[in-house]
Amino acid sequence: MSTPNNDSLSSNEEVLLVDLNNNVVGSCPRKGMRAKNLPHRASYILVFHAGDKIIVQKRTKYKDYCPGYYEVTAGGVNSFGESKEECARRELFEELGISNSLEYCFPFFYQDSHTTVWGDFWTCRFEGRVPEDLTLQESEVESVQLMTVEQILQEADSKQKQFTPDSLYALRKWVSRNKD
């Protein structure tokens, strides 16, 4: 099976670059951003379903970051010239076919040996059937499943599933802000 042709996976996609204070400094192709672990912006959308369930994605093996891992949020990198909200809406629609309203929660910074990102965390609610009423982006999303926050954290902590570290960090940050 060959790698799907998809613009969002294109190594030449112009990604918005920022400095460590989240100020826009320019752009570069995605492959350069990944190769040099350059600071960039990305959206992270926690999609709620059926009360306390979250739509969790299994990433395809074609992804340039954490292929085959589970992803707690929909989302992705900001294209050059794209606002934070435009990115979140585009990514949510591309990955899952959802165009629901979004609620902005907070910005956060995450860095490891593979990525340096200023994330924008959003939430939304999806009332349709999962997976029947979703349109999964074949090149990026292998499958979806419903999990509670508690299930995600338990499976991450016990290493039952490999979750993308940035989305797991964002989820933990959201949980800590919503404990009240």
Side-chain angles (χ1 to χ4, degrees):
M1 186 164 151
S2 63
T3 303
N5 182 13
N6 182 292
D7 288 339
S8 68
L9 290 178
S10 171
S11 61
N12 293 318
E13 174 189 10
E14 282 294 308
V15 174
L16 178 73
L17 297 180
V18 295
D19 62 20
L20 293 178
N21 295 312
N22 200 17
N23 298 305
V24 175
V25 296
S27 69
C28 80
R30 177 190 289 262
K31 65 183 173 188
M33 177 267 294
R34 289 289 182 217
K36 296 177 183 174
N37 195 6
L38 297 173
H40 61 283
R41 278 192 194 147
S43 61
Y44 294 77
I45 307 106
L46 194 63
V47 183
F48 287 98
H49 182 270
D52 66 345
K53 301 280 185 169
I54 294 169
I55 299 175
V56 175
Q57 302 177 34
K58 176 138 170 70
R59 297 164 66 88
T60 65
K61 63 183 177 181
Y62 306 112
K63 294 292 289 177
D64 63 354
Y65 175 68
C66 297
Y69 282 42
Y70 289 87
E71 178 87 41
V72 176
T73 59
V77 302
N78 286 60
S79 296
F80 186 68
E82 184 175 52
S83 75
K84 296 172 183 182
E85 185 172 354
E86 287 169 336
C87 176
R89 290 187 181 289
R90 175 182 55 79
E91 289 286 351
L92 184 61
F93 187 75
E94 283 178 0
E95 291 180 4
L96 300 174
I98 297 173
S99 57
N100 298 14
S101 63
L102 297 169
E103 181 180 329
Y104 185 75
C105 298
F106 55 86
F108 66 94
F109 180 75
Y110 177 81
Q111 183 174 35
D112 65 22
S113 61
H114 302 289
T115 193
T116 302
V117 62
W118 270 97
D120 289 296
F121 196 90
W122 306 77
T123 60
C124 79
R125 180 157 299 281
F126 179 72
E127 299 296 338
R129 297 171 300 154
V130 174
E132 297 86 354
D133 294 337
L134 296 173
T135 304
L136 305 184
Q137 186 176 17
E138 184 180 321
S139 60
E140 294 195 25
V141 183
E142 183 177 302
S143 63
V144 293
Q145 67 183 85
L146 295 172
M147 298 178 75
T148 64
V149 169
E150 294 76 22
Q151 288 173 313
I152 293 166
L153 297 176
Q154 189 274 327
E155 291 194 21
D157 291 343
S158 66
K159 309 263 190 256
Q160 289 177 303
K161 285 187 170 75
Q162 278 190 302
F163 290 92
T164 57
D166 57 332
S167 73
L168 196 56
Y169 175 86
L171 176 68
R172 289 182 194 280
K173 192 164 187 68
W174 180 82
V175 167
S176 72
R177 289 171 166 252
N178 289 283
K179 282 189 176 180
D180 303 329

